[in-house]
Amino acid sequence: MELKTMFKVSAVAVALVLAGCGGDINITPTVNDNSTVNNPPSTGGDNGGDNGGDENPCASYEASGDTVQGTYDSSSKICTYSTTFVSAAKPLTTDVTLAGDLTHYFKSSLAVGQDCNTTQGCTVEMDGPTLTVDAGATVVFDNPASRVQINRGANIEAVGSLAEPITFTSANAVPALDSVGAGPSPQDWGGVIINGFGITDQCSDAERGAGSCNAESEGAVSYYGGNNNQDDSGSLKFVKIHYAGGLPAGAEVGNDLNSLFLNSVGSGTEIDYIDVYAGYDDGIELFGGAVNLKHIVITDTQDDSLDIDAGWQGNAQFVLIKHGSVKNASGETLHMGNGGFEADGRKGSTTAQAPASAPHIANVTVITTDELSARDGDPSIAMKLDDFLNATFYNMVLKKEAATQTWCVNYSGDVADELVTDRTSIKSSIAACAALSASGKETVTTASGTTTVTEWFTKDGASEVVNGSDTVLANNGFSTAAEVTVTPTDMTSVDSFFEATNFIGAVSASDTSSDWYKWAKAAFDNANDE
């Protein structure tokens, strides 16, 4: 796939007063940008390159009276952007549109809006620039530290379609850019980071009230957080994120970037139809905020597929998770997959304003393996529960056929009381697991009482625990089998975000034609083909 890019301009000349660190912040940009709208010139490019007389369709903008533009290679239809164009140190401060008939190759990070720690004398522009990515666009990177970084106040509008998805991936996935010819590997590039003004327990109530909430992101330092869980950072829809999870130079192992990092992102943001594949750290990680997720496929990520932390208050529906194996550029087989869910209630200090994570998550299928993950040797399991989590899971299918190394559910002592008192619960679900819990952890005892993991899983009277060899998946490997008779919970009674379903698991056994079925099948088949 290819993409074409144009820049639109946002003139910023307003000096506003800092009033808070959330949706009510009014802050002054640290950099004034007086760019004007500039249509691409017919030839050339400020970054050099020979276009053979063809029109240069690459993105451009004007700065200080000069045109800055990507270099166009008409033979491969690739636009290349150097650090002169954009980097983490030189973020875009104008609206940018990446159209869908070229490949865009960024030699550094594609950062949008000014990153700012407000305690260090800078301020954040609330109405910052927007990165628009059109359907069919391909955006590629070749450095483990390079990433898409949408800073607080900026927005991303990346809306593809089933026929023309948007792809963020490794430059090595593009033959013309793969100089070695080995193809792409996990950790080839960083991933997508969105920093919002939502609530995270990594800040105090006082910091939120004073507009000085500046939580520091993992992997590569940037800042997020505020007091507006309804914050809008834009839209990601029909988007693929492949081969991400890079480890920036100098960062300690384990502090990798995630494929999609949603830091304090608010519910005004749309995240729908996402395909994450072969990331080296987490597939999607949520630190606080209240963004909702729908139609998510996460396959063959090395660490946790969906990682919840720091007080996330959102919802999720239709989530397909599969662990498996990939081959890297050296031909080595890497076993991918740690937790289907790593669900933590807190990372900092919970308060009434910033309570523990309490999401509602419905219609999920988690397919695990009996392998140990490539990086840290941890087992592939369906759910890891920790840190005073307050979550409700509905209409789930958990699958594990063998349990030499692994089991389905793990929990820490910091969530034990939540399991006993049902503050974290399972409803209308089925676990087809060779082992539901680790040996020696079948019974949960706290001052509030005692339960077992099986009793906890089946407490609603509708959920079932069956054998790992029992049929719960259809012949395609991912839809829920018609043999499953668990009655689903009507999710429309829980929240207006949810859709009513007559099945449990991510995909109905009778569905072979919806956009969701086709999206899930394409992602699942892609993971199995490699």
Side-chain angles (χ1 to χ4, degrees):
M1 289 178 289
E2 300 105 10
L3 88 155
K4 181 170 74 179
T5 311
M6 295 185 300
F7 275 75
K8 301 175 185 175
V9 166
S10 168
V12 181
V14 180
L16 304 172
V17 178
L18 176 64
C21 191
D24 55 350
I25 296 181
N26 293 314
I27 336 179
T28 307
T30 54
V31 176
N32 292 323
D33 189 294
N34 297 316
S35 303
T36 57
V37 174
N38 178 72
N39 293 322
S42 58
T43 60
D46 214 40
N47 292 331
D50 181 7
N51 302 309
D54 295 332
E55 178 181 347
N56 185 347
C58 300
S60 67
Y61 60 88
E62 288 197 3
S64 302
D66 294 324
T67 299
V68 184
Q69 186 175 25
T71 301
Y72 181 50
D73 181 346
S74 60
S75 64
S76 58
K77 299 183 70 175
I78 295 174
C79 288
T80 300
Y81 300 90
S82 73
T83 55
T84 302
F85 191 90
V86 65
S87 68
K90 184 185 178 182
L92 298 172
T93 56
T94 66
D95 291 352
V96 180
T97 297
L98 308 180
D101 61 352
L102 297 175
T103 294
H104 273 245
Y105 173 32
F106 288 89
K107 299 290 286 183
S108 185
S109 293
L110 174 51
V112 184
Q114 295 288 343
D115 186 35
C116 173
N117 179 343
T118 60
T119 65
Q120 296 179 353
C122 62
T123 51
V124 181
E125 181 189 356
M126 281 296 297
D127 188 18
T130 295
L131 172 67
T132 300
V133 187
D134 287 346
T138 297
V139 185
V140 302
F141 304 84
D142 67 357
N143 187 292
S146 293
R147 58 202 180 270
V148 179
Q149 182 172 311
I150 309 302
N151 291 314
R152 285 186 292 186
N155 284 269
I156 182 169
E157 294 293 342
V159 179
S161 67
L162 182 66
E164 294 186 290
I166 293 164
T167 302
F168 297 96
T169 190
S170 163
N172 290 329
V174 180
L177 297 173
D178 184 8
S179 58
V180 176
S185 292
Q187 215 174 19
D188 273 356
W189 68 290
V192 178
I193 300 174
I194 303 178
N195 293 326
F197 289 112
I199 295 170
T200 173
D201 68 12
Q202 295 159 278
C203 295
S204 67
D205 290 350
E207 287 171 327
R208 282 183 286 270
S212 58
C213 174
N214 296 282
E216 188 174 305
S217 66
E218 292 182 347
V221 174
S222 60
Y223 299 96
Y224 62 91
N227 59 16
N228 180 12
N229 263 356
Q230 291 74 48
D231 186 37
D232 183 355
S233 295
S235 301
L236 295 180
K237 189 169 184 179
F238 289 108
V239 168
K240 299 181 180 185
I241 305 172
H242 291 185
Y243 303 106
L247 180 66
E252 61 183 4
V253 174
N255 195 22
D256 308 66
L257 295 162
N258 301 297
S259 293
L260 177 57
F261 213 155
L262 301 173
N263 291 320
S264 296
V265 175
S267 60
T269 308
E270 181 183 31
I271 307 293
D272 197 6
Y273 288 97
I274 306 298
D275 164 13
V276 174
Y277 171 65
Y280 200 68
D281 201 33
D282 298 326
I284 300 178
E285 183 155 14
L286 301 114
F287 274 179
V291 65
N292 298 314
L293 312 176
K294 190 173 281 188
H295 302 117
I296 307 296
V297 185
I298 305 174
T299 55
D300 300 351
T301 53
Q302 184 278 329
D303 200 5
D304 304 305
S305 301
L306 188 57
D307 193 331
I308 299 162
D309 209 339
W312 178 50
Q313 304 298 317
N315 303 305
Q317 188 176 28
F318 307 123
V319 180
L320 174 61
I321 293 170
K322 182 193 80 70
H323 294 168
S325 299
V326 303
K327 287 190 176 181
N328 63 13
S330 300
E332 300 172 295
T333 297
L334 305 179
H335 298 304
M336 309 289 277
N338 198 323
F341 287 90
E342 181 175 3
D344 298 330
R346 68 171 69 161
K347 188 172 182 66
S349 299
T350 58
T351 67
Q353 188 182 94
S357 302
H360 294 279
I361 299 172
N363 292 98
V364 177
T365 297
V366 183
I367 304 166
T368 64
T369 72
D370 198 36
E371 303 291 348
L372 302 178
S373 63
R375 185 180 66 188
D376 52 21
D378 283 347
S380 162
I381 64 176
M383 303 178 73
K384 298 190 294 186
L385 310 175
D386 198 2
D387 291 337
F388 311 101
L389 177 72
N390 285 219
T392 310
F393 299 88
Y394 310 81
N395 304 342
M396 297 182 66
V397 173
L398 309 183
K399 179 64 172 175
K400 177 177 293 298
E401 292 188 1
T404 304
Q405 305 285 352
T406 58
W407 47 93
C408 268
V409 178
N410 196 10
Y411 65 92
S412 76
D414 286 342
V415 79
D417 202 57
E418 279 69 22
L419 303 183
V420 170
T421 59
D422 216 33
R423 291 193 294 272
T424 287
S425 62
I426 298 276
K427 301 181 185 299
S428 303
S429 298
I430 191 167
C433 301
L436 186 62
S437 59
S439 177
K441 297 196 70 173
E442 297 91 346
T443 301
V444 188
T445 300
T446 73
S448 300
T450 299
T451 189
T452 68
V453 176
T454 299
E455 289 169 346
W456 168 76
F457 196 95
T458 59
K459 187 175 182 178
D460 69 332
S463 299
E464 298 178 3
V465 176
V466 299
N467 295 320
S469 58
D470 285 6
T471 299
V472 294
L473 298 175
N475 289 336
N476 61 19
F478 63 90
S479 297
T480 304
E483 290 88 339
V484 174
T485 59
V486 174
T487 301
T489 296
D490 177 9
M491 295 306 301
T492 62
S493 65
V494 176
D495 190 280
S496 60
F497 164 80
F498 291 104
E499 299 176 21
T501 63
N502 61 0
F503 61 93
I504 70 169
V507 184
S508 169
S510 61
D511 182 6
T512 59
S513 60
S514 71
D515 281 0
W516 169 228
Y517 171 84
K518 293 175 182 177
W519 183 255
K521 181 177 180 359
F524 188 84
D525 289 349
N526 172 71
N528 283 339
D529 286 345
E530 295 205 10

